[in-house]
Amino acid sequence: MNHRKKLIEVALPLVAINKACAREKSIRHGHPSTLHLWWARRPLAAARAVIFAQMVDDPSSCPDLFPTEKAQAKERKRLFGIIEELVKWENTTNERVIEAARAEIWQSWRRACAENADHPRAKELFDREVLPAFHDPFAGGGALPLEAQRLGLEAHASDLNPVAVLINKAMIEIPPKFAGRPPVNRHWQSKSSEEQAAQVWPGARGLAEDVRFYGKWMRDEAEKRIGQLYPKVKVTEEMARERPDLEPYVGRALTVIAWLWARTVKSPNPAFADVDVPLVSTFMLSTKKGKEAYVEPVVEGNGYRFTVKVGMPKDAAETKKGTKLSRGANFQCLMSGTPMAPQYIKDEGKARRMGARLMAIVAEGDRGRVYLAPTPEMEAIALTAQPTWKPETPLPADMRSHWTPPYGLETYGDLFTPRQLVALTTFSDLVQEARKEIQRDALAAGLPADDTPLAQAGTGARAYAEAVGVYLAFAVDKCSDYWSAICSWHNSGQKMRNTFGRQAIPMVWDYTEGNPFCTSTGNFMAMVDWTWKAVGTVPSRSKGLAEQADAASQVASSDKVISTDPPYYDNIGYADLSDFFYVWLRRSLKPTFPDLFATLAVPKAEELVATPYRHGGREQAEAFFMDGMTQAMHRLATQAHPAFPVTIYYAFKQSERKGDEGTSSTGWETFLDAVIQAGFAISGTWPMRTELGNRMIGSGTNALASSIILVCCPRAADAPTTSRREFLQALKAELPQALAHLQKSNIAPVDLAQAAIGPGMAVYTRYARVLESDGSPLAVRTALALINRVLDETLASQEGDFDADSRWALAWFEQSGFDEGDFGLAETLSKAKNTSVHGLVDAGVLASKGGKVRLLSPADLPEDWDPRADSRLTVWEMVHHLIRVLEAGGESAAAELASKLDSQAETARELAYRLYTLCERKKRASEALAYNALVQSWPEIMRLARDGTRPQTEQADLFGDESEA
Ligand SMILES: C[S@@+](CC[C@H](N)C(=O)[O-])C[C@H]1O[C@@H](n2cnc3c(N)ncnc32)[C@H](O)[C@@H]1O
């Protein structure tokens, strides 16, 4: 089989990808992730770039087309340009940009087909008219299959978890079935044929419009059925007596946005044994400047009541604390001040003595929220709610992610108030009723009367109704996230928090009950809006298929392109967390997907998560995880399409990084080991900041990668065995070139060490085994250490390019940074480096006074420096002056200076890399940041220096100044 190296095996524009990932985190409206919550989703930008780069040939593998290094670099730069456009959020639905990427994929594919025409399975594997299909066996929230589909591949997704499978069906399987169709709803049908002809419904827009329409229908039906549980609140004169701000509302009935409740337990003080005292984590209702409001409890006789006041409380600190004494379940009795320890509260909860008292009402005012004291009627109405169903599935005994069971909230049903249960069951019933409505309308609109269910590949009226039902059930799931008694009030944002603010179900003491029928935070139509808008943006092209399968035994990967993001140890207990949604989805959708919802809860036994409570201890859990993961990886190594490398995301835990080992860590080593044991050779390890928000290069260690993309190919069956010595020799021979390549592609210094592991691992995994001198196998940990050593040596050897003064400064900096040091020491070092302290002062590198010396930092350097007039010009000065100017005046100013450095600029970049590596090892975070920033801005500085034009917003020339092949 003829295999050409793919772009991802050589270079990636990480800066642009990371930037797009960071930006994507702030995108909410219309993002497919808003269809349904899933934990630890990968940004679409990363998924898209990775799949593209694993399918497109690297120019070095096309010497017929790009014979010289220069020509290859130029072509690589062109491909980078495509990726830079492709990853931008605003281009997600830009057909021109995406089509350009698809065309590149096809071109590489056709080359592969032509070359492999003689392959024994050429017919199945290399059909030049059909791109191979894609598969992700750990599909989760579906980012990877969705992007594969967008790039024109038939997309297959599998996951063990039925909720994840359903999300993938909703993203890649259902939309293409109904793509390009107009909606079927009555409103659309009532339009004239001219009106209808004037509107087009590309992609899944028609489907999205029906989700919106029937979502509204459900809302209106529900209001008829349960609207009485959500009455308006009447503002009386009496209420306004103590609250002049309420005067304009007297006599008016305001729509309630939320009811704020405090959980209660019996007072531990015998004098108040009958009083249910509140557990309140804060009495502040609004901390918004100028709109402050708070609850003031009033103790009266043998009881208490809550009043609501506006403005800042006199004792703000006390009000902020509520009745909480300290972190955890430590409260005090409102009546007596008696402390209540966590165990007391747990005992009360277990004994079913935990209740709730209405603490405040939030209503819609004329210009914002109005906070009102509770009324007996409001409390009484809530208590009239009589749910006919509640999910009885027990919560897991995993205290890391489920905090409520010790307090007596032991089933998923316990997480909701009766009124919330009534609302959710009503809307869930309405999903089923809506299906009938939709089917009737779909038939009237002319859809085939075919009764084949959606689950059996139907595309007629019934299947369409079931399809819309899936999205409506998603909207109900979103409601469950906002309508549980785990949702607290966000007093600075004045809105409801959702249940899953974190990857856990925490215990919440004072919770919020929203109003499905209001128009503010947490209402039903808001959930429908999120859903239909997301539906409208999915690619809905190429076939998609999502199924439930265990990655350790799946067969769906056969002959497919694979990119996958497996679970990482015990980071997230997907199955346990997703039961929260599963119980509602099952209720709404079991008739549509009887197989998917066959079990009462999400299947857990095969889940590849190292959950100690499930496996009888940490060690057993880890063994289960590693064993299963190796099996899953083995399936990929044996099934993947032979023309493409497999890409695997490894979620990197920040806490794993330790000391001087830099990128090595136990979890990382073990994972690499599993991948290698599974039969893979590794050819790339790309760091990506897929978890970060906007602070991409934050402070020091925060700027580290959050994922590493492993690029793997099945190891040759006849791979040889070698010795440690030969392995080291091969590293020394190959790593410098790979490193130079990475530096040339302007990889950020923060990413260099990690990215350089890839070529190093490629050497290590080329062999079946590397043996130590005593015949024992050389461990992954040792291989990583050796790779790092050669990397260091290679960087150090670049010092040969620096002048003597800069070499001295580098050595001094390693020892003392910009701190003061002894003149004598400096002088001794200068002899070794063939310079002198005097000369260094002369050069403008060093300050020397009173027997002490100190390197000049960028802030100490003169502003009028002109390299052309400097008679003792050093690379050291170039770097630090460039940093000074970049920090003060940005890239244009730095470019002005760089234009005076001529050919020496490249050496300055090398020094900046070297200094960054040094600072990182020495944990000098702020200095590291400055060197990293300089290297990152380098292409733009050079471009500006060359052209003298204005700065671009994007990464510019990645390959230095090669302009012609
Ligand atoms: C890191 S998540 C994938 C996230 C996904 N890439 C995204 O962007 O949303 C890992 C997934 O692996 C799934 N999983 C865990 N054990 C599995 C198994 N044995 N077989 C298949 N999937 C499994 C989990 O349900 C979870 O959805």
Side-chain angles (χ1 to χ4, degrees), residues 115-143:
E115 273 161 12
N116 289 290
D118 297 336
H119 191 281
R121 292 179 60 216
K123 235 173 142 191
E124 304 132 72
L125 288 180
F126 295 100
D127 180 346
R128 69 190 307 279
E129 300 304 327
V130 187
L131 278 181
F134 171 92
H135 181 225
D136 175 0
F138 293 104

Side-chain angles (χ1 to χ4, degrees), residues 358-673:
L358 188 59
M359 196 165 65
I361 298 165
V362 192
E364 278 174 12
D366 294 332
R367 277 185 306 277
R369 317 279 193 239
V370 176
Y371 293 90
L372 301 167
T375 65
E377 305 80 64
M378 282 288 169
E379 193 150 0
I381 284 169
L383 298 178
T384 62
Q386 297 284 333
T388 51
W389 184 84
K390 72 183 256 194
E392 301 288 359
T393 308
L395 291 156
D398 186 3
M399 267 307 287
R400 288 173 330 136
S401 57
H402 291 72
W403 306 0
T404 65
Y407 303 100
L409 306 183
E410 291 168 335
T411 69
Y412 282 93
D414 293 341
L415 302 177
F416 301 91
T417 68
R419 180 159 55 182
Q420 288 171 331
L421 287 169
V422 168
L424 286 167
T425 46
T426 305
F427 279 103
S428 167
D429 289 345
L430 281 165
V431 172
Q432 322 218 22
E433 292 176 38
R435 274 201 298 266
K436 294 192 189 113
E437 289 279 313
I438 302 162
Q439 188 166 347
R440 206 171 35 236
D441 293 347
L443 285 170
L447 256 69
D450 175 9
D451 206 37
T452 315
L454 182 67
Q456 288 164 30
T459 53
R462 171 179 171 168
Y464 186 74
E466 290 175 334
V468 179
V470 168
Y471 301 102
L472 295 174
F474 276 13
V476 177
D477 258 17
K478 278 182 171 305
C479 293
S480 67
D481 188 26
Y482 277 89
W483 299 351
S484 86
I486 303 299
C487 299
S488 55
W489 185 248
H490 191 301
N491 56 19
S492 58
Q494 298 195 78
K495 58 184 182 189
M496 288 168 61
R497 285 199 181 89
N498 62 332
T499 306
F500 287 104
R502 60 181 96 198
Q503 289 149 2
I505 299 181
M507 183 65 194
V508 169
W509 308 106
D510 26 15
Y511 59 83
T512 305
E513 246 189 320
N515 179 355
F517 308 111
C518 72
T519 52
S520 294
T521 177
N523 75 83
F524 181 71
M525 271 320 282
M527 307 304 163
V528 173
D529 285 346
W530 285 112
T531 313
W532 75 259
K533 283 181 187 164
V535 177
T537 61
V538 296
S540 59
R541 52 172 292 137
S542 313
K543 209 172 125 192
L545 208 96
E547 59 176 9
Q548 190 178 15
D550 178 1
S553 55
Q554 55 88 14
V555 289
S557 287
S558 181
D559 299 338
K560 301 208 174 60
V561 179
I562 295 163
S563 185
T564 193
D565 172 23
Y568 171 69
Y569 276 104
D570 58 349
N571 255 11
I572 301 169
Y574 298 94
D576 284 337
L577 290 171
S578 61
D579 268 337
F580 180 90
F581 294 118
Y582 181 85
V583 292
W584 293 108
L585 284 175
R586 185 170 192 269
R587 192 176 189 282
S588 309
L589 296 180
K590 187 151 184 254
T592 305
F593 296 109
D595 294 342
L596 206 53
F597 293 106
T599 51
L600 277 172
V602 168
K604 311 213 165 48
E606 298 98 352
E607 189 186 38
L608 281 174
V609 175
T611 324
Y613 92 92
R614 204 181 284 158
H615 298 285
R618 175 147 282 280
E619 258 177 45
Q620 293 92 318
E622 285 200 9
F624 165 84
F625 176 81
M626 285 317 298
D627 193 40
M629 194 52 73
T630 311
Q631 277 182 46
M633 294 299 144
H634 182 68
R635 298 212 71 75
L636 303 186
T638 51
Q639 294 186 77
H641 193 292
F644 304 95
V646 170
T647 52
I648 305 169
Y649 291 63
Y650 170 81
F652 204 68
K653 255 190 180 174
Q654 300 288 329
S655 57
E656 277 180 22
R657 298 180 62 105
K658 48 181 188 195
D660 285 343
E661 281 166 284
T663 44
S664 71
S665 68
T666 343
W668 167 231
E669 287 156 14
T670 325
F671 194 81
L672 277 178
D673 209 17

